[in-house]
């Protein structure tokens, strides 16, 4: 018998808010300036992955080696472009079904948390008006190892005072699905991860997710 779901931990980028395209545009600008080939296919591999690990993936296509100092500068430049883009986010950028899902879970007495690799999580939550909404926020500022390591989700469960076995993760990244399973949590794959065969549940997006049956599974 499965243990009851008492908490749901949401990834942020691509699950709650449509920032995944902002990440793409910011990396694309940086890569174009450096003359490094980068497209949406490579971008899929950056989902859920930390800023420096994302840069390492992009640099696989670079024609020369970059020093650690240059890498830090490139990551900072990308983040500058990204911060410019997210400055115009509003509650309208909350993805379809996300708000209704969050409200339904709260009505049911289920705790809700954010589990994101992003160090920009506090800024984004502020922009979309959800700074005070979640019972816990675990993000890239508080962890050492980013997804597929389970650290961010285990921290979120701990902050919610719940066992991992009582938590469900919602993810759009394969790295995040892997992280949730490594943390012994069930996972709903949405967006790009809805075709991930290892996810416990799948839905195209939160609007299409059947939480009634997920909570009773
Ligand atoms: C994740 C994104 O949520 O955060 C990744 O899916 C991103 O694409 C990572 O690299 C880190 O984000 P930030 O905002 O700390 O650069
Ligand atoms: Mg994501």
């Amino acid at each position: 018998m499965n243990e009851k779901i008492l908490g749901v931990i949401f990834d942020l980028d691509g699950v709650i808010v449509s920032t995944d395209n902002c990440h793409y545009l910011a990396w694309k600008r940086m890569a174009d300036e450096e003359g490094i080939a980068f497209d949406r296919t490579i971008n899929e591999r950056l989902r859920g992955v930390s800023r420096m690990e994302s840069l390492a993936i992009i640099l696989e296509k670079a024609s020369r080696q970059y020093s650690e100092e240059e890498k830090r500068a490139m990551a900072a430049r990308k983040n500058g472009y990204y911060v410019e883009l997210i400055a115009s986010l509003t509650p309208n950028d909350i993805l379809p079904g996300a708000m209704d899902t969050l409200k339904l879970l709260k009505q049911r007495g289920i705790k809700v948390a954010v589990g994101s690799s992003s160090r920009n999580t506090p800024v984004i939550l502020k922009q979309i008006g959800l700074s005070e909404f979640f019972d816990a926020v675990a993000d890239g500022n508080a962890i050492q190892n980013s997804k597929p390591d389970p650290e961010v989700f285990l921290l979120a469960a701990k902050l919610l005072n719940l066992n991992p076995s009582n938590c469900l993760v919602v993810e759009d990244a394969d790295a995040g699905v892997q992280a949730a399973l490594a943390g012994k949590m069930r996972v709903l794959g949405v967006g790009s991860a809805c075709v991930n065969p290892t996810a416990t549940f799948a839905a195209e997006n939160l609007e299409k997710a059947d939480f009634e049956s997920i909570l009773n599974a």
Side-chain angles (χ1 to χ4, degrees):
M1 192 34 204
N2 280 328
E3 289 195 50
K4 227 172 147 35
I5 292 170
L6 303 176
V8 180
I9 304 168
F10 292 85
D11 172 51
L12 184 65
D13 295 321
V15 170
I16 298 289
V17 65
S18 55
T19 39
D20 42 346
N21 196 47
C22 301
H23 277 296
Y24 170 72
L25 294 173
W27 280 125
K28 179 71 181 151
R29 185 170 165 191
M30 198 281 297
D32 284 353
E33 285 166 356
E34 293 295 321
I36 301 168
F38 177 64
D39 58 19
R40 289 191 183 268
T41 308
I42 302 172
N43 187 57
E44 281 301 306
R45 293 174 56 204
L46 312 187
R47 284 182 192 276
V49 174
S50 74
R51 198 178 304 165
M52 290 310 285
E53 285 165 314
S54 297
L55 178 64
I57 293 170
I58 290 171
L59 292 183
E60 288 172 10
K61 296 275 183 199
S63 52
R64 68 170 179 92
Q65 297 284 317
Y66 288 83
S67 69
E68 287 311 309
E69 200 186 328
E70 283 176 309
K71 287 183 197 171
R72 275 194 298 276
M74 287 161 94
R77 193 186 341 149
K78 177 268 177 178
N79 193 54
Y81 299 154
Y82 180 67
V83 167
E84 265 174 41
L85 292 170
I86 60 175
S88 54
L89 286 178
T90 72
N92 288 333
D93 295 296
I94 295 176
L95 284 165
M99 225 37 244
D100 287 344
T101 303
L102 289 168
K103 285 181 191 153
L104 172 102
L105 294 171
K106 277 209 166 177
Q107 272 163 20
R108 295 288 185 87
I110 292 168
K111 291 183 187 169
V112 290
V114 170
S116 169
S117 305
S118 175
R119 291 172 175 263
N120 289 295
T121 296
V123 179
I124 295 167
L125 289 177
K126 186 162 178 252
Q127 290 290 135
I128 61 174
L130 293 182
S131 291
E132 307 297 323
F133 192 92
F134 291 91
D135 299 301
V137 174
D139 68 24
N141 299 297
I143 54 163
Q144 297 300 317
N145 307 294
S146 101
K147 302 167 190 176
D149 191 285
E151 187 177 348
V152 78
F153 294 138
L154 293 175
L155 174 62
K158 191 175 164 202
L159 293 172
L160 291 177
N161 272 317
L162 293 176
N163 290 323
S165 56
N166 292 114
C167 294
L168 170 77
V169 166
V170 187
E171 256 296 347
D172 72 315
D174 289 335
V177 170
Q178 238 178 294
L181 296 173
K184 306 268 181 279
M185 301 181 191
R186 280 161 284 175
V187 55
L188 164 64
V190 296
S192 296
C194 83
V195 290
N196 185 321
T198 64
T200 327
F201 309 100
E204 217 177 292
N205 56 37
L206 280 174
E207 202 167 30
K208 301 228 167 108
D210 180 3
F211 265 87
E212 297 296 343
S213 51
I214 291 172
L215 294 178
N216 291 320

